Amino acid sequence: RKEKAKAERSPDRLRSPICCVLGHVDTGKTSLLDKIRRTNVQGGEAGGITQQIGATYFPMSRLRTQTDKINKDLLLDYKIPGLLVVDTPGHESFSNLRTRGSNLCDIAVLVVDIMHGLEPQTLESLQLLRRSKTPFVVALNKVDRIYGWEPHKFSPLRDTLAKQKSYSVSEFETRTRSTIAAFQEQGLNAALYYENDDFKRTVSLVPTSAITGEGIPDLLMLITQLTQQMMGHRIMFTPWVQCSVLEVKAIDGLGTTIDVCLTNGEIHEGDEIVVCGMNGAIVTTVRALLTPPPEREIRVKADYQRNKVVTAAMGIKISANDLEKAVAGTQLLVVHPDDEIEDLKAEVQRDLESIMGGFATD
Ligand code: GDP
């Protein structure tokens, strides 16, 4: 199965990368996410951006409205179909996205407050990222708080920097230098992203403001560029489903549902699936593939939108029979016509052993 999935990959079709946001409390993780959502809405019609289970999906058409401001010089070919940003920032969601030792997060944004530098939870986040070998960029947030800073809404960083007074530029440079020195103390090379000539060995810093939107075009462009250029293989699309169960939840009117992260492939309504269960593997049929209602609608419980088909990467709520004993942190398989169901059942149950094994050794 894994071999087949590999064989059918092609560099011509990529899936959307999954991006997580980490950092010390109050550095602006939530505000940045909010701003990225609104930035895109501000660029034109609101359409396209969809809320997922625990994530927000930005289709490339929406990312373009921001990144084109920078890409006029870079002329990067856009190959990813979009970006799935996990929107419950924090250690916990990052850890939840680690199932079976593999990390669902393709790239992370570590948010650092430019006025405070590295703080205790920044260091904890750094450890998590290193341990899971997750590539990341640093958003050096709150640049608008630099003395005398004149905001230029949603401007690429270098454009706004060129318009600042010399004492603001000077403070910006001093603070950036001291953050770079602090990263060095942690054994990490860091550089402003536009001065970084070795993305493999040096972490990129992107100065941003979640209040003015400055630097957000740069951040989105960098994520696009890095995922396309540095992890092309990891994010190649394959029709073979890779999917993890994140949560098992009872929902009024729907019964027990599972929240999943579809990392690769495509799931259809009516697909037969195999899920790891406490008392043995569960074989069931996808009754509905659900995503949260469109943003402006009043949120009513169980008022989800149904999708006939969902393409990776995406967060989905799956409604099906017999999910009561499903186990979070395990993989979900879709049955193909020539599959031996017993093999698939054995495969999903192996995850249970590794989870239990994990508890025993923790
Ligand atoms: P989180 O704990 O990392 O999610 O941080 P929040 O997004 O809740 O932000 C913490 C506080 O910092 C809030 O009062 C925000 O309004 C403020 N804040 C966040 N980003 C910026 C920024 O770029 N500039 C300024 N001036 N304030 C910010």
Side-chain angles (χ1 to χ4, degrees):
R1 197 167 251 271
K2 277 193 182 131
E3 291 311 307
K4 274 189 191 163
K6 265 191 192 148
E8 288 180 32
R9 285 175 182 220
S10 139
D12 298 331
R13 184 170 179 195
L14 302 181
R15 65 169 170 85
S16 308
I18 302 172
C19 175
C20 298
V21 182
L22 291 170
H24 192 80
V25 64
D26 278 351
T27 49
K29 300 179 291 295
T30 311
S31 309
L32 264 178
L33 276 166
D34 280 353
K35 199 67 176 180
I36 293 174
R37 277 192 215 105
R38 259 179 292 142
T39 302
N40 281 271
V41 175
Q42 207 225 13
E45 77 277 27
I49 299 165
T50 52
Q51 226 184 322
Q52 302 294 313
I53 298 295
T56 304
Y57 181 69
F58 300 91
M60 186 39 86
S61 59
R62 309 306 304 149
L63 293 178
R64 238 176 225 277
T65 54
Q66 280 305 306
T67 53
D68 272 352
K69 292 181 189 171
I70 296 185
N71 204 21
K72 60 182 189 304
D73 307 322
L74 211 61
L75 299 176
L76 182 79
D77 248 350
Y78 295 108
K79 287 192 203 145
I80 53 171
L83 186 66
L84 186 70
V85 182
V86 174
D87 60 16
T88 42
H91 288 359
E92 209 179 307
S93 69
F94 186 81
S95 302
N96 285 349
L97 287 173
R98 283 166 55 74
T99 51
R100 294 168 293 122
S102 72
N103 189 1
L104 304 184
C105 177
D106 298 304
I107 189 164
V109 175
L110 175 63
V111 185
V112 171
D113 183 335
I114 192 168
M115 307 306 279
H116 294 165
L118 305 199
E119 298 177 88
Q121 287 158 21
T122 321
L123 303 185
E124 285 170 23
S125 307
L126 265 179
Q127 286 224 319
L128 275 175
L129 292 167
R130 280 172 143 173
R131 232 182 289 144
S132 59
K133 297 197 173 69
T134 308
F136 65 97
V137 299
V138 173
L140 206 49
N141 196 36
K142 306 199 185 182
V143 295
D144 62 286
R145 290 192 58 203
I146 281 174
Y147 185 71
W149 188 268
E150 287 172 13
H152 299 88
K153 283 190 177 166
F154 303 107
S155 166
L157 194 270
R158 273 177 291 179
D159 295 355
T160 181
L161 198 57
K163 293 174 192 154
Q164 302 300 327
K165 295 197 184 68
S166 64
Y167 56 82
S168 300
V169 174
S170 161
E171 183 183 337
F172 168 82
E173 285 171 349
T174 309
R175 291 191 181 279
T176 304
R177 263 201 308 275
S178 78
T179 307
I180 289 175
F183 273 114
Q184 231 140 28
E185 279 172 28
Q186 300 300 316
L188 269 176
N189 289 326
L192 282 167
Y193 84 94
Y194 48 84
E195 292 171 354
N196 187 353
D197 49 20
D198 187 356
F199 287 121
K200 282 216 164 86
R201 280 186 209 92
T202 306
V203 175
S204 289
L205 309 181
V206 189
T208 55
S209 166
I211 300 292
T212 67
E214 288 163 296
I216 286 181
D218 311 62
L219 183 62
L220 294 174
M221 190 71 226
L222 187 64
I223 293 172
T224 305
Q225 190 186 0
L226 290 182
T227 51
Q228 288 189 179
Q229 291 176 351
M230 315 277 287
M231 49 184 75
H233 194 79
R234 182 177 162 118
I235 61 169
M236 278 182 207
F237 181 83
T238 158
W240 292 81
V241 164
Q242 285 162 25
C243 184
S244 299
V245 179
L246 301 180
E247 278 192 73
V248 183
K249 272 190 196 157
I251 303 281
D252 283 352
L254 288 175
T256 304
T257 63
I258 47 175
D259 289 354
V260 303
C261 179
L262 176 66
T263 323
N264 215 335
E266 237 166 37
I267 293 196
H268 303 81
E269 209 176 79
D271 274 351
E272 192 175 14
I273 55 174
V274 184
V275 182
C276 175
M278 281 309 279
N279 305 334
I282 301 159
V283 181
T284 181
T285 303
V286 174
R287 190 188 306 132
L289 295 166
L290 304 167
T291 43
E295 209 116 16
R296 264 184 242 106
E297 280 179 23
I298 304 156
R299 214 179 248 246
V300 184
K301 222 184 261 177
D303 179 19
Y304 289 96
Q305 194 171 304
R306 282 178 81 142
N307 304 272
K308 285 273 170 238
V309 55
V310 176
T311 306
M314 221 56 103
I316 327 163
K317 181 181 281 301
I318 294 183
S319 147
N321 289 333
D322 305 325
L323 291 174
E324 291 76 18
K325 294 268 185 321
V327 180
T330 61
Q331 66 177 321
L332 173 155
L333 297 175
V334 171
V335 182
H336 287 251
D338 48 353
D339 277 333
E340 286 293 340
I341 293 265
E342 290 309 316
D343 292 348
L344 304 191
K345 284 162 91 172
E347 191 173 337
V348 294
Q349 288 309 105
R350 271 200 288 277
D351 287 349
L352 188 60
E353 286 159 34
S354 65
I355 287 181
M356 294 308 178
F359 280 129
T361 53
D362 264 356

